[in-house]
């Protein structure tokens, strides 16, 4: 008997689908729960609302405006009540119109963004809410990973339970990066418009709100056309959202935005601010908190110095093969007003105003003639320009000629090398070294005859400060730039003390030296620096025209200019009385605009002159007859 084989009835397809769907759903939930739990183990501490970041240093000018920032620039915290309504409306219109309606994630916003992106064929609109962006900015790294998105959603829900909507919006605007190194609305308002956040206009608020999408791309300081277009888009969005009417929008579009020229911290200003931050460490050591450094730098004068140097190098300097330069400007008391360390900070951060040591040439003669005046010589004393040999060394004049008898003041004004060398030898090289040391020249100065012609290298800032002592009525001048250093919370870590400088120069000697320096500008090698104000100064040119200097001063401002090449190659006959003097004049013309003209020497009673002239004459007579290594070619002095 055959066994019947029963055929199995096929199961119904819908039942199988439902069964497997239920299984898949269960496993998906389990996997999702496990994934969320796993990521929750690595979730940042939500009780911390300050993200890890680099310490910031903010450098302020003499008016309290931002010169530069290092690290993350963050201004004061602005509570929601103090945020301008225009800014709140601009941010909501562009970033999250349903912010006050959703619970941390906006499902409708996600679908809307998805549709917009599908129509555009790419990602043109995001679906993150402001709460999600707070979670990302404050707690998470900007990684585009599934883990980051899940943790972002979890933190967003926590934020919504922990804070009010107003508090979340305030956290967002105080922590968001808004370009140009600025974090938060207060920093951005200062950086772009040089005003508090509460004073922003509608157009200014729209510009800052537009930065949230792409801070670097829409930075108005570097991409003004993009920023303007983005601002217009934000204003249109505010109209579309019903936050403002068309009349207000038109008025905002028609009002030009005045961007701040201060605070960008770029360009050649960085030479000065790098030097300032390096000096700050000498006062407070290693920083452990955000710092604010108040300085003596005048932003207006800084801009004038940058322009004067750039124009000089681009024009006359380019033709003469002079590729680099530096400027230092200070008050007679040493407060640094402006500093430019080179032609391009972006090319090299080497600061030629403080780090470069070059031969000053005849600018060193200040110390030679000061020593002579202190030894009893007078500006009107007769000297002889003639060939001279000192210990086998025979200095020559710039033009190769000799003009015979002249006064000491004329020799200084015309920068006669032979007279300077012979004067230095007669006064004594050790005495000249002592004067230079007294005036702050902290270099190894060899006791050789050629020292008189500036063959020892020194920096622009130390030589400028030495001349500032003359402008300071003979009182000691030490360069300084930091007024105080404090933390972002207001704790003062350093404040410059009041210092009474000692007198370095006798009043009679000071008056005589000032008159001789004034003669250089009025009649001598510094005539190119002449302006509508009393001024004194000295030119300097090193051998083969490698370095050219002009150091000059008025009653209120002392400025030094150096021109040359980094590799020490010769220029095409650039002298201190040519390009450096013209750059000096260009800068000083702007720096002194509106200032009252004052004589270089203050009208104060002079103490009796001290002796010394007779002793000097006796020394000179002994040198005529003794074996001092000095030989002359030509008739003796009369």
């Amino acid at each position: 008997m055959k066994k019947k084989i029963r055929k199995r009835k096929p199961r119904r397809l819908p039942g199988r689908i439902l069964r497997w769907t239920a299984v898949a759903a269960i496993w998906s939930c389990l996997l999702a729960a496990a994934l969320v739990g796993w990521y929750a183990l690595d979730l940042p501490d939500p009780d911390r609302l300050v993200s890890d970041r680099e310490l910031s240093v903010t450098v302020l000018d003499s008016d309290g405006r931002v010169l530069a920032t290092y690290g993350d620039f963050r201004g004061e915290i602005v509570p929601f009540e103090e945020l301008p309504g225009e800014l709140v409306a601009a941010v909501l219109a562009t970033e999250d119109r349903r912010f006050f309606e959703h619970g941390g994630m906006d499902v409708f916003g996600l679908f809307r963004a998805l549709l917009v992106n599908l129509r555009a064929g790419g990602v043109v609109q995001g679906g993150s809410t402001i709460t999600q962006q707070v979670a990302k900015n404050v707690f998470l790294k900007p990684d585009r990973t599934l883990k980051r998105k899940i943790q972002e959603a979890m933190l967003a829900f926590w934020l919504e339970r922990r804070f009010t909507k107003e508090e979340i919006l305030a956290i967002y605007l105080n922590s968001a990066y808004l370009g140009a190194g600025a974090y938060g609305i207060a920093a951005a308002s200062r950086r772009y418009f040089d005003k508090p956040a509460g004073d922003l206009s509608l157009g200014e608020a729209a510009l800052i709100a537009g930065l949230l999408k792409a801070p670097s791309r829409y930075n108005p300081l570097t991409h003004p056309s993009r920023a303007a277009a983005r601002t217009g888009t934000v204003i249109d969005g505010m109209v579309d959202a019903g936050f403002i009417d068309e009349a207000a929008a038109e008025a905002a579009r028609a009002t030009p935005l005045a961007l701040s020229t201060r605070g960008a911290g770029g360009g050649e200003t960085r030479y000065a601010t790098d030097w300032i931050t390096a000096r700050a460490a000498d006062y407070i050591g290693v920083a452990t908190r955000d710092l604010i450094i108040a300085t003596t730098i005048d932003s207006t004068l800084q801009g004038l110095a940058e322009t004067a140097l750039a124009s000089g190098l681009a024009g006359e300097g380019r033709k003469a093969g002079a590729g680099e330069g530096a400027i230092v400007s200070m008050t007679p008391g040493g407060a640094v007003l402006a500093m430019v360390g080179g032609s391009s900070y972006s090319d090299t951060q080497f600061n030629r105003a403080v780090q470069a040591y070059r031969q000053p040439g005849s600018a060193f003669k200040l110390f030679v003639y000061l020593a002579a005046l202190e030894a009893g010589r007078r500006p009107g004393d007769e000297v002889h320009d003639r060939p001279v040999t000192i210990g086998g060394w025979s200095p020559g004049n710039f033009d190769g000629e000799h003009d015979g008898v002249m006064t000491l003041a004329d020799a200084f004004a015309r920068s006669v090398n032979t007279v300077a060398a012979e004067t230095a030898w007669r006064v004594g090289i050790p005495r000249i070294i002592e004067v230079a040391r007294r005036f702050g020249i902290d270099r190894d100065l060899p006791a050789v005859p050629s020292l008189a012609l500036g063959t020892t290298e020194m920096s622009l800032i130390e030589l400028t400060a030495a001349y500032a002592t003359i402008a300071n009525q003979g009182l000691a001048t030490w360069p300084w730039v930091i007024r105080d250093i404090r933390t972002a919370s207001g704790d003062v870590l350093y404040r410059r003390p009041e210092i009474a400088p000692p007198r370095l120069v006798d009043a009679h000697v000071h008056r005589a030296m000032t008159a001789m320096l004034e003669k250089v500008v009025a009649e001598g090698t510094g005539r190119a620096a002449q302006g509508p104000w009393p001024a004194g100064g000295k030119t300097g040119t090193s051998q083969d025209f490698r370095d050219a200097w002009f150091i000059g001063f008025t009653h209120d401002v002392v400025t030094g200019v150096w021109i040359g090449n980094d590799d020490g190659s010769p220029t095409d006959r650039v002298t201190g009385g040519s390009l450096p003097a013209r750059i000096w004049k260009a800068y000083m013309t702007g720096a002194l605009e509106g200032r009252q003209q004052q004589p270089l020497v203050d009208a104060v009673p002079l103490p009796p002159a001290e002796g010394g002239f007779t002793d000097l004459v006796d020394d000179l007579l002994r040198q005529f007859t003794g074996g001092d290594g000095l030989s002359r070619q030509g008739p003796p002095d009369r």
Side-chain angles (χ1 to χ4, degrees):
M1 181 178 176
K2 291 184 177 180
K3 187 177 180 181
K4 289 185 177 181
I5 300 175
R6 289 184 66 181
K7 294 182 179 181
R8 298 180 63 182
K9 295 182 179 180
R11 295 180 178 176
R12 295 179 180 178
L13 187 58
R16 296 178 62 186
I17 293 175
L18 289 174
R19 180 178 296 177
W20 284 110
T21 299
V23 171
I26 292 171
W27 278 107
S28 296
C29 291
L30 291 174
L31 287 173
L35 191 63
V36 170
W38 175 255
Y39 287 154
L41 293 175
D42 192 31
L43 197 66
D45 181 6
D47 289 326
R48 175 181 56 82
L49 281 176
V50 179
S51 60
D52 295 331
R53 61 182 180 86
E54 182 183 354
L55 291 176
S56 73
V57 178
T58 303
V59 183
L60 307 179
D61 73 358
S62 56
D63 289 330
R65 302 187 181 191
V66 176
L67 276 174
T69 59
Y70 296 79
D72 297 341
F73 175 37
R74 298 173 186 261
E76 65 274 13
I77 300 298
V78 182
F80 179 82
E81 295 76 18
E82 297 179 15
L83 292 171
E86 294 84 353
L87 177 66
V88 173
V91 171
L92 294 179
T94 55
E95 296 297 311
D96 191 354
R97 295 187 186 181
R98 288 172 39 81
F99 173 68
F100 283 98
E101 300 170 20
H102 62 67
M105 294 186 65
D106 186 2
V107 178
F108 294 104
L110 285 171
F111 279 113
R112 183 178 62 249
L114 178 62
L115 291 175
V116 171
N117 293 334
L118 287 173
R119 289 182 188 139
V123 179
V124 296
Q125 188 176 112
S128 294
T129 65
I130 285 176
T131 311
Q132 288 176 277
Q133 293 183 58
V134 169
K136 178 181 67 175
N137 294 344
V138 176
F139 300 108
L140 303 172
K141 296 180 180 179
D143 304 327
R144 291 180 176 272
T145 62
L146 176 62
K147 174 183 177 180
R148 204 285 315 267
K149 294 300 293 183
I150 291 176
Q151 289 184 332
E152 178 184 296
M154 296 169 66
L155 288 168
F157 289 130
W158 176 87
L159 286 167
E160 289 283 344
R161 293 195 305 272
R162 179 74 162 73
F163 299 101
T164 66
K165 287 288 188 178
E166 290 79 6
E167 289 172 333
I168 293 172
L169 187 57
I171 293 171
Y172 178 53
L173 290 176
N174 281 291
S175 62
Y177 180 60
L178 294 166
Y183 285 79
I185 182 60
S189 299
R190 293 289 185 187
R191 175 59 48 83
Y192 297 120
F193 301 110
D194 200 20
K195 62 171 62 174
D199 295 340
L200 292 173
S201 67
L202 174 56
E204 293 165 346
L207 183 146
I208 290 179
L211 291 168
L212 291 165
K213 180 178 181 180
S216 299
R217 178 176 176 78
Y218 297 120
N219 181 346
L221 301 177
T222 55
H223 304 292
S225 59
R226 292 180 189 170
R230 176 62 179 164
T231 301
T233 300
V234 173
I235 293 174
D236 292 342
M238 295 173 72
V239 174
D240 183 63
F243 294 138
I244 60 173
D245 57 28
E246 188 59 41
E250 284 299 324
R253 295 189 193 102
T255 303
L257 301 182
L259 291 172
S260 173
T261 58
R262 308 174 188 254
E268 285 31 273
T269 303
R270 284 278 177 173
Y271 284 117
T273 57
D274 283 359
W275 175 64
I276 290 165
T277 54
R279 289 176 68 87
D282 296 335
Y283 298 121
I284 65 170
V286 178
T288 57
R289 292 181 285 175
D290 293 347
L291 300 179
I292 298 174
I293 304 175
T295 75
T296 60
I297 297 291
D298 185 310
S299 291
T300 300
L301 301 192
Q302 178 68 30
L304 290 172
E306 293 172 12
T307 300
L309 182 63
S311 299
L313 291 176
E316 186 178 343
R318 185 187 299 274
K319 296 176 184 177
E324 276 301 344
I327 295 179
V328 172
S329 186
M330 61 182 68
T331 67
V336 177
L337 302 171
M339 174 183 289
V340 188
S343 61
S344 175
Y345 181 86
S346 60
D347 290 341
T348 170
Q349 289 76 58
F350 180 69
N351 189 337
R352 296 152 191 85
V354 296
Q355 294 174 297
Y357 289 87
R358 309 297 288 259
Q359 292 185 358
S362 293
F364 186 84
K365 291 176 183 176
L366 170 71
F367 310 115
V368 174
Y369 284 83
L370 267 170
L373 292 172
E374 289 183 343
R377 302 295 295 269
R378 300 291 184 265
D381 289 352
E382 285 190 351
V383 292
H384 203 151
D385 172 21
R386 59 188 169 187
V388 63
T389 298
I390 304 172
W393 172 63
S394 300
N397 292 327
F398 177 76
D399 58 5
E401 302 293 330
H402 299 284
D403 295 328
V405 177
M406 62 184 66
T407 66
L408 195 71
D410 285 336
F412 183 72
R414 293 155 60 180
S415 204
V416 180
N417 287 340
T418 56
V419 173
E422 187 168 350
T423 299
W425 189 252
R426 294 185 183 281
V427 170
I429 298 299
R431 184 174 236 163
I432 294 167
I433 293 175
E434 185 278 323
V435 171
R437 291 259 186 267
R438 195 193 326 154
F439 273 62
I441 304 301
D442 187 21
R443 299 289 290 168
D444 182 19
L445 300 175
V448 296
S450 61
L451 177 70
L453 303 188
T455 55
T456 298
E457 297 175 339
M458 56 190 60
S459 70
L460 178 61
I461 191 169
E462 65 180 337
L463 191 57
T464 303
Y467 277 77
T469 295
I470 303 298
N472 201 27
Q473 310 303 310
L475 303 179
T477 296
W478 301 284
W480 64 281
V481 70
I482 297 177
R483 296 182 183 277
D484 63 62
I485 304 172
R486 59 186 185 274
T487 66
S489 60
D491 296 333
V492 176
L493 304 180
Y494 165 81
R495 177 169 286 126
R496 185 178 186 271
E498 292 294 331
I499 300 174
R503 173 167 290 280
L504 298 185
V505 186
D506 171 84
H508 284 282
V509 171
H510 170 259
R511 185 180 291 275
M513 190 72 249
T514 302
M516 293 172 68
L517 289 163
E518 198 166 6
K519 189 179 182 70
V520 172
V521 176
E523 306 173 14
T525 57
R527 291 189 300 275
Q530 288 179 9
W533 4 257
K538 188 71 185 77
T539 58
T541 310
S542 68
Q543 192 173 12
D544 297 327
F545 305 95
R546 287 183 168 86
D547 304 286
W549 308 64
F550 185 80
I551 317 290
F553 59 93
T554 63
H555 185 274
D556 298 319
V557 182
V558 187
T559 302
V561 180
W562 168 83
I563 297 296
N565 291 305
D566 283 341
D567 60 3
S569 58
T571 64
D572 187 8
R573 301 184 68 81
V574 175
T575 65
S578 61
L579 179 57
R582 283 187 274 275
I583 291 175
W584 185 92
K585 179 180 179 179
Y587 164 74
M588 293 292 279
T589 298
L592 298 174
E593 185 177 359
R595 293 177 184 255
Q596 183 180 359
Q597 297 183 23
Q598 298 186 63
L600 299 183
V601 178
D602 290 341
V604 294
L606 295 178
E610 297 180 2
F613 182 68
T614 302
D615 293 338
L616 177 62
V617 173
D618 292 340
D619 289 341
L620 293 179
L621 289 174
R622 281 194 294 272
Q623 290 177 13
F624 276 119
T625 58
D628 59 0
L630 174 67
S631 63
R632 283 183 285 297
Q633 303 170 27
D637 276 339
R638 295 179 182 175

